[in-house]
Amino acid sequence: MNTNILIVDDVHEILLEKLTNNDIKFDYRPEFSKKDASQILSQYTGLIIRSKFQVDSDFIDLSSNLEFIARAGAGMDNIDEDYARTRGITLLAANEGNCDAVGEHMIGMLLNLMNNHNRANMQIATGTWDREGNRGYELKGRTVALIGYGHNGQAMAKKLSGFDVKVIAYDKYKTGFTDEYAQEVSMEEVVRQADVLSFHIPLTKETKGLVDNEYLFHFRKPIFFLMGARGGIVDIQAVLKALDTGKIVGAAFDVLPVEKFPSLAQQSWYRSLTARDNVILSPHVAGWTFESYFKLSDILAEKIIAFTKKGK
């Protein structure tokens, strides 16, 4: 069967252009639901998705022809990777496409926290002028610890290089990665040195709920906490407790364990989290800039083209 791809999510037109220019057939159906896709999946050798729905084992089993599943994003956490591999299906992602966006966004959130930008803005808008209460902290001279040193971790480290900070990184699955931007350390060194803790790891069975009371207990100094990876990595109640005790000075979340309304507002921790002026939130948008929208599709197109040529 010749390559024929079903695209069920919105992608930048550059991906469509590159596939067309390389004579790769596709059907672009960004309006499709999972049910719609299920009815015709067997006709295709490739599937392209972002985050519209879960590509689980039952869905994968609807086609005996799938050769690859590609995600126009970073990570594969809405795809059953293990099962896909048992079926001999190649998995493609574009992790390189939004790492710069994530790095800039999380540094922006950190600077916001350290300088009380949100609180000061709200106070002035309601008639309060409080210079002393909004005195901030400088980033220079602090130690920023990165958990995970893949594309996102490396981009974050590079962008921090102009702030005169010490950047350390722990990655359970990599060794020997010290470079000009970050020093590889053990987790013991992370908990001893960190002033800022930033996560750059995927959501897996191993990392789900990783950040709990026990995890946070071991940090020696009060920390600024940044979560721009996947919401399921963190137990929000544990972060709230650490905020109450001063273990965490301020926290920034671009991702949460539960996202979108009304489900988010129904969480037991929602009101406590959003009521704090030392917590800032954004709607899972760190990696979704105008530039990354292009880069994710551009990079993924090149990987798909290379995959199809390899098979010829």
PDB file of all heavy atoms in Angstrom, residues 176-191:
ATOM      1  N   GLY A 176      26.584  12.104  31.189  1.00  0.00           N
ATOM      2  CA  GLY A 176      27.632  12.753  30.415  1.00  0.00           C
ATOM      3  C   GLY A 176      27.150  13.902  29.557  1.00  0.00           C
ATOM      4  O   GLY A 176      27.705  14.169  28.498  1.00  0.00           O
ATOM      5  N   PHE A 177      26.120  14.627  30.029  1.00  0.00           N
ATOM      6  CA  PHE A 177      25.545  15.687  29.194  1.00  0.00           C
ATOM      7  C   PHE A 177      25.938  17.097  29.636  1.00  0.00           C
ATOM      8  O   PHE A 177      25.400  18.081  29.129  1.00  0.00           O
ATOM      9  CB  PHE A 177      24.020  15.574  29.136  1.00  0.00           C
ATOM     10  CG  PHE A 177      23.321  15.635  30.480  1.00  0.00           C
ATOM     11  CD1 PHE A 177      23.084  16.841  31.106  1.00  0.00           C
ATOM     12  CD2 PHE A 177      22.894  14.467  31.090  1.00  0.00           C
ATOM     13  CE1 PHE A 177      22.442  16.898  32.326  1.00  0.00           C
ATOM     14  CE2 PHE A 177      22.237  14.506  32.319  1.00  0.00           C
ATOM     15  CZ  PHE A 177      22.016  15.735  32.935  1.00  0.00           C
ATOM     16  N   THR A 178      26.852  17.223  30.574  1.00  0.00           N
ATOM     17  CA  THR A 178      27.317  18.557  30.955  1.00  0.00           C
ATOM     18  C   THR A 178      27.785  19.326  29.720  1.00  0.00           C
ATOM     19  O   THR A 178      28.519  18.788  28.887  1.00  0.00           O
ATOM     20  CB  THR A 178      28.464  18.468  31.969  1.00  0.00           C
ATOM     21  OG1 THR A 178      27.960  17.905  33.192  1.00  0.00           O
ATOM     22  CG2 THR A 178      29.055  19.847  32.268  1.00  0.00           C
ATOM     23  N   ASP A 179      27.356  20.576  29.589  1.00  0.00           N
ATOM     24  CA  ASP A 179      27.777  21.403  28.462  1.00  0.00           C
ATOM     25  C   ASP A 179      28.027  22.827  28.951  1.00  0.00           C
ATOM     26  O   ASP A 179      28.098  23.056  30.168  1.00  0.00           O
ATOM     27  CB  ASP A 179      26.736  21.367  27.335  1.00  0.00           C
ATOM     28  CG  ASP A 179      25.347  21.817  27.772  1.00  0.00           C
ATOM     29  OD1 ASP A 179      25.243  22.564  28.780  1.00  0.00           O
ATOM     30  OD2 ASP A 179      24.355  21.446  27.113  1.00  0.00           O
ATOM     31  N   GLU A 180      28.140  23.754  28.042  1.00  0.00           N
ATOM     32  CA  GLU A 180      28.450  25.134  28.449  1.00  0.00           C
ATOM     33  C   GLU A 180      27.289  25.815  29.161  1.00  0.00           C
ATOM     34  O   GLU A 180      27.457  26.879  29.763  1.00  0.00           O
ATOM     35  CB  GLU A 180      28.845  25.963  27.224  1.00  0.00           C
ATOM     36  CG  GLU A 180      27.762  26.075  26.155  1.00  0.00           C
ATOM     37  CD  GLU A 180      28.222  26.832  24.930  1.00  0.00           C
ATOM     38  OE1 GLU A 180      28.693  27.974  25.091  1.00  0.00           O
ATOM     39  OE2 GLU A 180      28.140  26.259  23.832  1.00  0.00           O
ATOM     40  N   TYR A 181      26.105  25.218  29.116  1.00  0.00           N
ATOM     41  CA  TYR A 181      24.929  25.865  29.695  1.00  0.00           C
ATOM     42  C   TYR A 181      24.456  25.233  31.005  1.00  0.00           C
ATOM     43  O   TYR A 181      23.758  25.883  31.781  1.00  0.00           O
ATOM     44  CB  TYR A 181      23.772  25.837  28.690  1.00  0.00           C
ATOM     45  CG  TYR A 181      24.110  26.506  27.382  1.00  0.00           C
ATOM     46  CD1 TYR A 181      24.197  25.774  26.209  1.00  0.00           C
ATOM     47  CD2 TYR A 181      24.374  27.873  27.337  1.00  0.00           C
ATOM     48  CE1 TYR A 181      24.526  26.397  24.999  1.00  0.00           C
ATOM     49  CE2 TYR A 181      24.700  28.499  26.143  1.00  0.00           C
ATOM     50  CZ  TYR A 181      24.781  27.749  24.983  1.00  0.00           C
ATOM     51  OH  TYR A 181      25.111  28.372  23.800  1.00  0.00           O
ATOM     52  N   ALA A 182      24.770  23.955  31.235  1.00  0.00           N
ATOM     53  CA  ALA A 182      24.287  23.284  32.440  1.00  0.00           C
ATOM     54  C   ALA A 182      25.281  22.222  32.902  1.00  0.00           C
ATOM     55  O   ALA A 182      25.995  21.624  32.096  1.00  0.00           O
ATOM     56  CB  ALA A 182      22.936  22.632  32.182  1.00  0.00           C
ATOM     57  N   GLN A 183      25.294  21.998  34.213  1.00  0.00           N
ATOM     58  CA  GLN A 183      26.149  20.975  34.809  1.00  0.00           C
ATOM     59  C   GLN A 183      25.292  19.792  35.239  1.00  0.00           C
ATOM     60  O   GLN A 183      24.294  19.957  35.948  1.00  0.00           O
ATOM     61  CB  GLN A 183      26.881  21.548  36.028  1.00  0.00           C
ATOM     62  CG  GLN A 183      27.712  20.527  36.786  1.00  0.00           C
ATOM     63  CD  GLN A 183      28.252  21.099  38.084  1.00  0.00           C
ATOM     64  OE1 GLN A 183      28.179  22.301  38.339  1.00  0.00           O
ATOM     65  NE2 GLN A 183      28.795  20.216  38.925  1.00  0.00           N
ATOM     66  N   GLU A 184      25.665  18.609  34.800  1.00  0.00           N
ATOM     67  CA  GLU A 184      24.964  17.396  35.214  1.00  0.00           C
ATOM     68  C   GLU A 184      25.228  17.131  36.694  1.00  0.00           C
ATOM     69  O   GLU A 184      26.383  17.176  37.149  1.00  0.00           O
ATOM     70  CB  GLU A 184      25.440  16.208  34.386  1.00  0.00           C
ATOM     71  CG  GLU A 184      24.805  14.883  34.786  1.00  0.00           C
ATOM     72  CD  GLU A 184      25.417  13.711  34.032  1.00  0.00           C
ATOM     73  OE1 GLU A 184      26.285  13.932  33.154  1.00  0.00           O
ATOM     74  OE2 GLU A 184      25.024  12.561  34.333  1.00  0.00           O
ATOM     75  N   VAL A 185      24.170  16.852  37.452  1.00  0.00           N
ATOM     76  CA  VAL A 185      24.314  16.563  38.878  1.00  0.00           C
ATOM     77  C   VAL A 185      23.377  15.425  39.260  1.00  0.00           C
ATOM     78  O   VAL A 185      22.486  15.041  38.506  1.00  0.00           O
ATOM     79  CB  VAL A 185      23.993  17.796  39.760  1.00  0.00           C
ATOM     80  CG1 VAL A 185      24.955  18.940  39.483  1.00  0.00           C
ATOM     81  CG2 VAL A 185      22.551  18.244  39.577  1.00  0.00           C
ATOM     82  N   SER A 186      23.561  14.914  40.454  1.00  0.00           N
ATOM     83  CA  SER A 186      22.667  13.902  41.004  1.00  0.00           C
ATOM     84  C   SER A 186      21.426  14.583  41.583  1.00  0.00           C
ATOM     85  O   SER A 186      21.404  15.801  41.794  1.00  0.00           O
ATOM     86  CB  SER A 186      23.373  13.128  42.118  1.00  0.00           C
ATOM     87  OG  SER A 186      23.661  14.013  43.207  1.00  0.00           O
ATOM     88  N   MET A 187      20.391  13.783  41.864  1.00  0.00           N
ATOM     89  CA  MET A 187      19.198  14.343  42.494  1.00  0.00           C
ATOM     90  C   MET A 187      19.520  14.858  43.891  1.00  0.00           C
ATOM     91  O   MET A 187      18.913  15.829  44.348  1.00  0.00           O
ATOM     92  CB  MET A 187      18.094  13.279  42.553  1.00  0.00           C
ATOM     93  CG  MET A 187      16.722  13.843  42.863  1.00  0.00           C
ATOM     94  SD  MET A 187      16.142  15.011  41.602  1.00  0.00           S
ATOM     95  CE  MET A 187      14.996  15.990  42.576  1.00  0.00           C
ATOM     96  N   GLU A 188      20.494  14.239  44.544  1.00  0.00           N
ATOM     97  CA  GLU A 188      20.918  14.718  45.864  1.00  0.00           C
ATOM     98  C   GLU A 188      21.448  16.145  45.782  1.00  0.00           C
ATOM     99  O   GLU A 188      21.193  16.972  46.678  1.00  0.00           O
ATOM    100  CB  GLU A 188      21.988  13.793  46.439  1.00  0.00           C
ATOM    101  CG  GLU A 188      21.484  12.433  46.900  1.00  0.00           C
ATOM    102  CD  GLU A 188      21.176  11.486  45.749  1.00  0.00           C
ATOM    103  OE1 GLU A 188      21.614  11.753  44.606  1.00  0.00           O
ATOM    104  OE2 GLU A 188      20.479  10.485  45.994  1.00  0.00           O
ATOM    105  N   GLU A 189      22.161  16.456  44.713  1.00  0.00           N
ATOM    106  CA  GLU A 189      22.671  17.810  44.532  1.00  0.00           C
ATOM    107  C   GLU A 189      21.554  18.786  44.166  1.00  0.00           C
ATOM    108  O   GLU A 189      21.583  19.952  44.555  1.00  0.00           O
ATOM    109  CB  GLU A 189      23.766  17.831  43.463  1.00  0.00           C
ATOM    110  CG  GLU A 189      25.083  17.267  43.927  1.00  0.00           C
ATOM    111  CD  GLU A 189      25.619  18.031  45.130  1.00  0.00           C
ATOM    112  OE1 GLU A 189      25.780  19.271  45.043  1.00  0.00           O
ATOM    113  OE2 GLU A 189      25.876  17.390  46.168  1.00  0.00           O
ATOM    114  N   VAL A 190      20.577  18.310  43.412  1.00  0.00           N
ATOM    115  CA  VAL A 190      19.425  19.163  43.082  1.00  0.00           C
ATOM    116  C   VAL A 190      18.725  19.632  44.353  1.00  0.00           C
ATOM    117  O   VAL A 190      18.474  20.826  44.537  1.00  0.00           O
ATOM    118  CB  VAL A 190      18.423  18.420  42.168  1.00  0.00           C
ATOM    119  CG1 VAL A 190      17.096  19.184  42.084  1.00  0.00           C
ATOM    120  CG2 VAL A 190      19.004  18.248  40.771  1.00  0.00           C
ATOM    121  N   VAL A 191      18.404  18.707  45.248  1.00  0.00           N
ATOM    122  CA  VAL A 191      17.657  19.092  46.450  1.00  0.00           C
ATOM    123  C   VAL A 191      18.510  19.937  47.389  1.00  0.00           C
ATOM    124  O   VAL A 191      17.981  20.706  48.202  1.00  0.00           O
ATOM    125  CB  VAL A 191      17.094  17.859  47.196  1.00  0.00           C
ATOM    126  CG1 VAL A 191      16.158  17.085  46.296  1.00  0.00           C
ATOM    127  CG2 VAL A 191      18.204  16.959  47.715  1.00  0.00           C
TER     128      VAL A 191
END
